[in-house]
Amino acid sequence: MPTAQQTAGRPKLLVFSTGGTIAMQAGEEGIKPRDRAGIAGLPSNLNAVFEEIVFSNLPSPHMTLENWLKLAAAIDASLKSPEVAGAVVLHGTDLLPECALTLKLCLSAEKPVVVTGSMHAQGEAGYDGLRNLENAAAICLALPGCKNVFACMGDEIFSARTVFKQNSVAPASMSAHDGLLGRVVNKE
């Protein structure tokens, strides 16, 4: 746990974990949920303090509008704190676009929110969860005071209004009707 001196002057990002592949671990017994999504693996060079909030641990298809509305209320309440710079939502990819759009329509906070996930569980070849989490955090830090919701997968940034899942196996699984908003390169 970082000391007060280590966190002084660094923005705080909240990481809301809802479940999905990004919250799964591959092992001898197959793929199973983890207790935490694993923000401890984030590099310190992102210059932020991270706090994980385990909102739920559900597979993406089990998330409902009611879940997303409760998530939006929890995010809005948390983003009222002045030391919080933004939020990252870890979500299963099947309904990630629906979550992002619901948050876009419901959030009132004047801070960035980025929804991301992973196509492979931790421990599987091609695990992309940590990179997607790092990218989502970098987007929040790059856009202080930006009231918007984004989706980020495979180094690509999408509008929450137009993102959709186009591929069920590729790490770059998302696309958007209006194209990319940007790319994350070297955590920028």
Side-chain angles (χ1 to χ4, degrees):
M1 187 65 117
T3 66
Q5 185 178 15
Q6 291 171 320
T7 61
R10 292 169 62 196
K12 183 176 188 178
L13 290 180
L14 302 178
V15 179
F16 286 83
S17 179
T18 68
T21 303
I22 197 164
M24 303 295 274
Q25 173 90 33
E28 292 178 14
E29 301 169 12
I31 297 175
K32 61 182 184 176
R34 295 180 290 164
D35 291 334
R36 293 251 190 246
I39 63 170
L42 282 171
S44 59
N45 66 350
L46 285 175
N47 194 33
V49 176
F50 296 91
E51 178 184 330
E52 184 172 15
I53 299 163
V54 179
F55 177 80
S56 65
N57 198 359
L58 295 173
S60 183
H62 293 193
M63 294 294 283
T64 65
L65 179 59
E66 182 179 351
N67 296 125
W68 296 322
L69 294 174
K70 288 179 182 176
L71 176 62
I75 292 171
D76 256 343
S78 298
L79 291 181
K80 288 181 182 176
S81 177
E83 74 265 4
V84 176
V88 173
V89 176
L90 306 179
H91 198 282
T93 60
D94 287 343
L95 295 179
L96 186 149
E98 289 81 355
C99 174
L101 180 59
T102 302
L103 295 177
K104 170 75 175 166
L105 297 173
C106 295
L107 291 176
S108 62
E110 299 286 327
K111 297 176 182 176
V113 175
V114 182
V115 184
T116 193
S118 68
M119 294 303 295
H120 302 281
Q122 185 176 6
E124 285 187 310
Y127 174 61
D128 55 330
L130 184 57
R131 182 177 184 137
N132 289 337
L133 175 52
E134 290 173 348
N135 288 344
I139 294 164
C140 279
L141 294 172
L143 301 169
C146 172
K147 179 191 175 181
N148 212 334
V149 179
F150 306 95
C152 177
M153 288 286 292
D155 300 333
E156 299 175 332
I157 307 165
F158 302 98
S159 164
R161 286 191 182 275
T162 61
V163 67
F164 64 91
K165 186 171 180 179
Q166 72 170 354
N167 192 304
S168 295
V169 293
S173 60
M174 300 294 165
S175 190
H177 299 291
D178 57 356
L180 292 175
L181 292 179
R183 293 186 190 279
V184 179
V185 179
N186 296 324
K187 297 182 183 70
E188 292 185 13

